[in-house]
Amino acid sequence: QASDLVLLDDSFSVIVSAIRQGRIIFDNIKKIIVFILKDAFSEVNLIVLSLVFQLPLPILPAQILWVNLFQDSLPSFAFAMEPGEEDVMNERPPKNNTSLMDKEMKILIFIYGISADLFLFALFVIFNNIDGDNIAHTRTLVFMLLALESLAGIFSLKSLRKSIFKINIFSNLYLLAAFFIGILMMIAAVNVEPLQRMLRTTPLTWTDWAIVVAFAIFNVIFIEVIKLFFRNNKKN
């Protein structure tokens, strides 16, 4: 109660280092929140839309759990190990009452979530009409689309301020490991027979994989466009 800061070392560099580390932790928590909420938002919206339009579930509970375990949890832990951005000390210090969920985060989660979900749901409706007799294949495709767009987006979320082309995507080996483990687990989910039975998945065709990769790239571009909009607003 005597002071807000207790000095164990009177070196000014130690204080600067502590402030920098605090800002890095603050930024990393924000990245984790955006990553988790945008994915959870997508899953909820898909289920709600299918119920509203009285369609079969686009993704099964076991598949959602698989995505949460390998495509959400591992990158979330990895984001906590982010080394921080070089210009983190150039940002204005946050106020004492600053919320973790700022306006930009809410807009990113909401706009990205709604837009991606509508597009994903439209793909589900189209493929369900084309391949209505094989709902397992359609669900597998949605399962992969949901997982891969999540994994592809982690590199855009390494920085909420900079373009993906101006950051070092190799700076966090934990994040790279989480990405490749997630990819391997998704490939296994649709190709390994015991997992196919457990998750009710089927193998995908080369056309299906092309759609999945294209959708993942589209989502990265969409996130970058939203970030560009925020950067331009700050300049003005």
Side-chain angles (χ1 to χ4, degrees):
Q1 295 177 348
S3 66
D4 292 327
L5 179 66
V6 177
L7 295 180
L8 300 180
D9 189 326
D10 61 359
S11 170
F12 184 75
S13 63
V14 172
I15 300 175
V16 174
S17 178
I19 293 173
R20 184 179 187 278
Q21 190 60 39
R23 291 190 176 190
I24 291 173
I25 293 172
F26 188 76
D27 278 352
N28 289 348
I29 292 174
K30 290 171 67 174
K31 294 170 189 176
I32 293 170
I33 290 174
V34 172
F35 178 73
I36 291 177
L37 288 186
K38 77 176 182 62
D39 289 349
F41 197 50
S42 297
E43 293 163 1
V44 170
N45 284 342
L46 279 176
I47 299 299
V48 170
L49 286 171
S50 66
L51 294 176
V52 169
F53 290 97
Q54 298 182 346
L55 294 172
L57 290 177
I59 187 169
L60 298 175
Q63 295 170 349
I64 292 176
L65 181 59
W66 190 266
V67 170
N68 289 342
L69 282 174
F70 296 107
Q71 279 62 51
D72 291 348
S73 298
L74 292 180
S76 296
F77 286 118
F79 271 127
M81 306 298 179
E82 274 291 300
E85 300 175 42
E86 295 179 358
D87 60 348
V88 67
M89 292 298 286
N90 295 333
E91 294 293 316
R92 291 183 179 180
K95 298 179 181 179
N96 292 335
N97 59 348
T98 299
S99 171
L100 280 173
M101 286 284 291
D102 57 32
K103 183 176 71 173
E104 292 180 356
M105 291 170 62
K106 293 175 183 176
I107 292 174
L108 179 59
I109 293 168
F110 183 76
I111 292 181
Y112 172 85
I114 292 293
S115 302
D117 294 343
L118 289 176
F119 188 71
L120 188 55
F121 184 72
L123 287 178
F124 169 71
V125 172
I126 292 170
F127 282 99
N128 186 52
N129 290 334
I130 295 174
D131 201 13
D133 295 332
N134 191 2
I135 187 64
H137 174 261
T138 304
R139 282 175 174 155
T140 301
L141 184 57
V142 172
F143 174 48
M144 291 298 297
L145 288 167
L146 190 64
L148 266 294
E149 63 92 8
S150 175
L151 284 173
I154 63 178
F155 296 111
S156 280
L157 296 180
K158 275 178 65 68
S159 174
L160 298 177
R161 294 187 289 267
K162 294 181 181 177
S163 165
I164 191 174
F165 302 108
K166 294 185 178 181
I167 60 176
N168 180 10
I169 64 172
F170 302 105
S171 63
N172 186 348
L173 296 180
Y174 296 99
L175 199 62
L176 287 173
F179 174 78
F180 286 112
I181 291 172
I183 294 292
L184 289 175
M185 296 310 294
M186 289 308 300
I187 293 174
V190 299
N191 289 290
V192 177
E193 190 173 344
L195 294 177
Q196 286 178 342
R197 290 196 301 268
M198 182 180 72
L199 300 172
R200 299 184 188 179
T201 59
T202 61
L204 297 179
T205 65
W206 286 109
T207 301
D208 295 334
W209 282 111
I211 293 171
V212 169
V213 172
F215 184 69
I217 295 173
F218 168 78
N219 277 276
V220 172
I221 295 173
F222 192 54
I223 293 175
E224 290 300 318
V225 169
I226 296 175
K227 287 164 55 178
L228 177 62
F229 174 77
F230 291 149
R231 291 197 298 272
N232 289 338
N233 270 1
K234 283 187 176 180
K235 291 179 181 178
N236 296 333

